[in-house]
Amino acid sequence: MSDEKWTVTFIVFRKKDEQPVRYDTFTLEVSPNEYVLDAVERIWAFHDRSLVFAHACHHSTCGACGMRVNGVERLTCITPIREVTRNGGTVRVEPLRNFPVVSDLAVDMSRLYQAMDVVHAQAVHPLDAAPLEGDGIRPPRQVPQPEEEGEFLRLADCIECGLCVSACPVAGTDPAYLGPAALAGAQLQSIARNPDLLSVVDCAEGVWRCHSAYECTAVCPSNVQPGWRIMDLRRQVVAQRIKALLGQR
Amino acid sequence: MNEPKKLHSRGVLDWFDPRGRQVGGWGFIINRISAIGLTIYLYLHLVMLGKLAQGPEAFDAFIATAKQPLILFGELLVIIAGLYHGLNGIRIALTSFGVAVRYQRALLIAVVLLTAAGSLFFAIRMLSIH
Amino acid sequence: MTKPHAIVIGAGFTGVAIAYDLAQRGFRVSVVERGPIANGTSGRTHGLLHSGARYAVNDQESAIECIQENIILRRIVPDAIEPNGGLFVAVQEEDLAYRDKFIEGCAACGIPIRELTPQEALRLEPNLNPRLLTAFTVPDATFDPLRLALAFAASAKAGGAQFYLYTDVVDLLRDGRGNVCGVKAWNRAADRRFDLLAEVVVNATGAWVGQITAMAGIQVPIAPTPGVMVAYDRRLTQRAINLLNEPGDGDIVLPQRRMMVVGTTSFTIEDPDYVPVYEDHVALMMERGSALIPALRQTRERGAYMATRPLIGGTAPGRSISRTFKAYDHAETDGIDGLVTITGGKATTLRLMAEKTVDVICRKFGMDVPCRTAETPLLSYRKFYL
Ligand SMILES: Cc1cc2nc3c(=O)[nH]c(=O)nc-3n(C[C@H](O)[C@H](O)[C@H](O)COP(=O)(O)OP(=O)(O)OC[C@H]3O[C@@H](n4cnc5c(N)ncnc54)[C@H](O)[C@@H]3O)c2cc1C
Ligand code: HEM
Ligand code: SF4
Ligand code: FES
């Protein structure tokens, strides 16, 4: 790799308590291969200790570091600076939308966790619930099963980062909307296997609230494709309702 | 447990802000704008029908104003909005029931292309008639 | 009797596990953490729930702790763990020299292993280096770092613990005799400063413990020792893949969600607040990782990050409650009461570290309450927010 250095100006959203919002600028020397989160952490370490931001794993498995970078929802720990600006350019960093701001870049994601809890979205599920399609590298399509232990389990794709909720225009006007991640969590379990979910998602705050902007799928960093899953869930709901109707006759 | 806190959101304004939105988001925005446009047009249309009820003079006067270029341009907008909104409505109806969701982007592009082609057709016809 | 108040500084693995145990054993608990949960070393760990096999030759005490805690954590935090097992793989002749010691060590520590032929291993994990010489199955697992910490934090909260996040401890409060009686805190989210009084302050700040003890004029010999890890964008195995040899750089390749994560390296630094990720370390991870799994070369880097171990100097005066981690009761080591420092250990042994530390604290208060954290499953991590 290279020792290439860029000078980049970060324009950072700031908010403390009831004080009005302001934007602070910090000019940093960065490597273009560094990730946006690295720069944010450096701003905290060397420029302004009062900066508040959320992060934990730094490799896209925890979902804590979602922010809006130049207006687009990004998982900052895996967004290379190279992708969002150029040498001498700027990067605008703001908190996610559609959640309350705790302070600066950190938001309160209870709404998402609440919704995930309501649909009992599984954090760990059998491998075949979301198969790995492999993309050419000897895909373990028929994944060999561990002999004694039974089925392989896998941490769910959804890392509960909230990017989809932030990008969803409807989530901004309807705080009670379950949101893309939770509906995707419901779809993965399938209503046929888990009939209790039907009443949770077949309502105004569930699948029918979606207005098909597909922003959730566009920003999801973790291959969940919530937009597609919401639509598939609608299909499941209708199928269940029709079945129930026919069954009652 | 926590008292409800204010969402960091501009509410309905975020529906119309195209910055940072992707293809699906633009489709969403234009659908909303075209729907509002069509609703306003529907209102104007009813007003016009009202004129019709007032007798032939009022109607002729109205037709005369309706032939002004600005109004014609407005009519073209209505055609564009109607085409887009209707075609996109079919796209949404399809995807809403799980049909071709993976191709929603391609469908939207098809909607836009068809709208453009249809609008061009009507624009040429309008110009050649007057 | 009113509950004694304990302040825990730091909400990494050590802090949240201690907070949970303290709350269970009848303390009123406040956790003061300068960032969100697990933003320090804990969030950035590699994520291997050790079977202990890695230490079975060189450090059997660690190995035994790991296998025991591994079994407990699988039971009490199932929603943060991919329990798919692991393999130790020999790829070069020199690795085979380690084989006998490995078998012996695992037997001595009670770690169940099974040797596979190369063909069997390749059938289980088709992406392994086809030139492998032998392989052993071990009960490794992958954990999700944030959710492991959150599960403990959620359970602590349910037990009454209060969390002050985005709140720095800026100083220790001292009473007339110089003993520690609380902390001075700065809530950065609201930009508000306040004092918090307590009967005991537990310093669980990992690589930063020295900064806290310095506030009471106490030196602890900690050498912050970071390591680099790299995540690649494709999942190539279902199990954790370890190199069958002495522990070294880049010898563990771990599947996690749709990724493979290779780690790690080791070097010392002065200030753990910000450590850059060095590009030569990143290149080394690819080189070492692809020796075990050649297909790694066809993946793309998804993230590169580092975390800092708090390594303890060998001549540390602290009383060692275990050789694998240290708890200092500063009343004993430095004549300053009210402050307990705990550091070292592994994510895998977080519950045990907490148990031993809270044993020490209970003894200080003359409380005779047994630890129950190994028996009860933790709450879902989501409950931390609800
Ligand atoms: C590279 C690497 C890889 C590892 N991989 C594994 C692995 O695969 N498996 C395994 O079992 N273990 C692993 N470990 C070990 C494990 O990660 C650590 O033992 C564990 O995370 C330490 O947790 P901690 O709570 O002691 O420290 P930390 O997680 O660092 O917690 C300390 C906390 O204190 C806070 N703090 C600091 N100063 C202040 C202050 N003034 N006021 C308030 N709060 C403050 C910090 O913000 C931080 O959150 C690894 C370690 C490293 C370095
Ligand atoms: C060709 C016939 C039409 C079709 C197929 C159609 C389809 C749709 C669909 C599917 C929606 C829902 C969009 C969503 O889920 O977000 C919608 C919304 C709407 N439509 Fe239409 N529509 C048609 C004609 C019209 C006309 C003629 C008007 C006005 C007079 C109109 C006004 C609206 C309004 C106001 C909305 C609500 C705003 C919105 O959700 O976008 N529509 N239409
Ligand atoms: S669905 Fe995707 S964007 Fe939404 S929370 Fe889950 S991982 Fe994040
Ligand atoms: S810090 Fe965990 S996802 Fe980015």
Side-chain angles (χ1 to χ4, degrees), chain B residues 68-113:
Chain B
Q68 282 167 14
L70 198 70
I71 302 287
L72 283 178
F73 179 70
E75 280 188 349
L76 188 60
L77 282 185
V78 170
I79 290 169
I80 295 173
L83 276 172
Y84 174 83
H85 186 90
L87 290 169
N88 191 42
I90 295 170
R91 162 179 169 267
I92 291 176
L94 282 177
T95 55
S96 282
F97 293 98
V99 180
V101 186
R102 289 188 193 277
Y103 307 107
Q104 61 88 7
R105 276 170 64 110
L107 282 178
L108 186 62
I109 292 166
V111 164
V112 170
L113 288 179

Side-chain angles (χ1 to χ4, degrees), chain A residues 65-80:
Chain A
C65 69
M67 297 173 203
R68 286 206 300 146
V69 179
N70 294 337
V72 182
E73 284 72 14
R74 295 285 206 145
L75 213 50
T76 50
C77 66
I78 54 164
T79 302

Side-chain angles (χ1 to χ4, degrees), chain C residues 16-304:
Chain C
V16 292
I18 289 176
Y20 170 52
D21 203 332
L22 281 170
Q24 274 219 329
R25 290 203 237 180
F27 283 79
R28 186 162 73 81
V29 184
S30 302
V31 181
V32 185
E33 160 61 58
R34 67 179 180 182
I37 302 281
N39 75 91
T41 305
S42 301
R44 294 175 227 193
T45 46
H46 198 171
L48 176 64
L49 188 70
H50 282 284
S51 59
R54 169 59 63 223
Y55 308 107
V57 175
N58 292 339
D59 184 356
Q60 299 202 337
E61 193 177 339
S62 274
I64 293 167
E65 285 175 5
C66 282
I67 184 66
Q68 289 170 349
E69 292 300 309
N70 177 309
I71 293 165
I72 294 171
L73 289 181
R74 281 167 192 252
R75 200 173 55 234
I76 66 172
V77 254
D79 60 0
I81 293 172
E82 289 186 354
N84 296 341
L87 292 176
F88 271 73
V89 181
V91 287
Q92 285 176 327
E93 287 300 329
E94 64 200 58
D95 299 336
L96 284 180
Y98 193 73
R99 178 179 168 276
D100 293 347
K101 284 186 277 182
F102 181 78
I103 296 174
E104 236 170 72
C106 287
C109 301
I111 302 165
I113 59 170
R114 193 162 64 82
E115 189 159 17
L116 303 174
T117 65
Q119 292 73 19
E120 283 174 318
L122 282 166
R123 203 167 45 75
L124 290 182
E125 294 293 354
N127 287 312
L128 280 179
N129 186 339
R131 296 213 302 274
L132 79 140
L133 301 172
T134 188
F136 291 89
T137 62
V138 296
D140 281 346
T142 298
F143 64 84
D144 173 329
L146 176 59
R147 275 145 196 119
L148 179 60
L150 280 174
F152 278 91
S155 307
K157 209 169 161 183
Q162 200 172 350
F163 282 80
Y164 298 86
L165 300 183
Y166 303 111
T167 303
D168 295 31
V169 167
V170 290
D171 207 352
L172 295 172
L173 297 172
R174 316 280 290 276
D175 66 10
R177 280 161 298 157
N179 294 329
V180 174
C181 61
V183 301
K184 254 189 195 322
W186 171 36
N187 176 341
R188 279 149 54 218
D191 200 6
R192 209 159 36 77
R193 287 167 197 273
F194 61 97
D195 291 351
L196 212 53
L197 291 173
E199 273 77 50
V200 62
V201 175
V202 184
N203 173 13
T205 51
W208 293 268
V209 284
Q211 295 183 4
I212 300 292
T213 58
M215 295 171 185
I218 301 168
Q219 297 275 318
V220 287
I222 297 296
T225 313
V228 167
M229 287 145 288
V230 184
Y232 300 96
D233 68 348
R234 216 152 273 167
R235 184 174 178 126
L236 299 170
T237 68
Q238 299 313 317
R239 298 168 177 76
I241 309 298
N242 305 261
L243 178 65
L244 181 73
N245 211 325
E246 305 276 341
D249 286 351
D251 59 353
I252 304 176
V253 188
L254 203 62
Q256 193 175 70
R257 300 193 199 272
R258 277 175 202 260
M259 297 178 282
M260 297 304 285
V261 187
V262 187
T264 164
T265 56
S266 183
F267 53 103
T268 49
I269 47 145
E270 293 286 311
D271 179 7
D273 277 353
Y274 184 81
V275 187
V277 174
Y278 296 108
E279 301 207 341
D280 51 332
H281 290 236
V282 174
L284 183 70
M285 290 306 102
M286 173 53 90
E287 188 190 318
R288 295 284 165 86
S290 59
L292 288 167
I293 299 165
L296 216 52
R297 293 227 178 257
Q298 293 158 57
T299 63
R300 286 191 21 218
E301 175 182 321
R302 185 163 159 93

Side-chain angles (χ1 to χ4, degrees), chain A residues 1 16 35 41 49 51 56-57 59-62 78 117 121 144 147 153 155-157 159-160 221, chain C residues 43-44 82 84 114 123-124 126-127 147 188 256-258 273-274 279 295 301-302 305 381-383:
Chain A
M1 296 210 183
K16 299 284 174 213
Y35 298 95
E41 191 174 29
R49 284 285 171 146
L51 182 66
C57 72
H59 69 290
S60 77
T61 204
C62 79
I78 54 164
D117 201 52
E147 302 82 62
L153 297 179
L155 288 164
D157 280 327
I159 55 175
E160 302 178 355
Chain C
R44 294 175 227 193
E82 289 186 354
N84 296 341
R114 193 162 64 82
R123 203 167 45 75
L124 290 182
N127 287 312
R147 275 145 196 119
R188 279 149 54 218
Q256 193 175 70
R257 300 193 199 272
R258 277 175 202 260
D273 277 353
Y274 184 81
E279 301 207 341
E301 175 182 321
R302 185 163 159 93
Y305 61 108
Y381 63 88
R382 290 183 190 129
K383 298 290 180 201

Side-chain angles (χ1 to χ4, degrees), chain A residues 112 157-165 180-181 184 216 219-224 226:
Chain A
L112 171 68
D157 280 327
C158 177
I159 55 175
E160 302 178 355
C161 63
L163 297 197
C164 54
V165 175
C216 48
V219 299
C220 177
S222 207
N223 232 327
V224 179

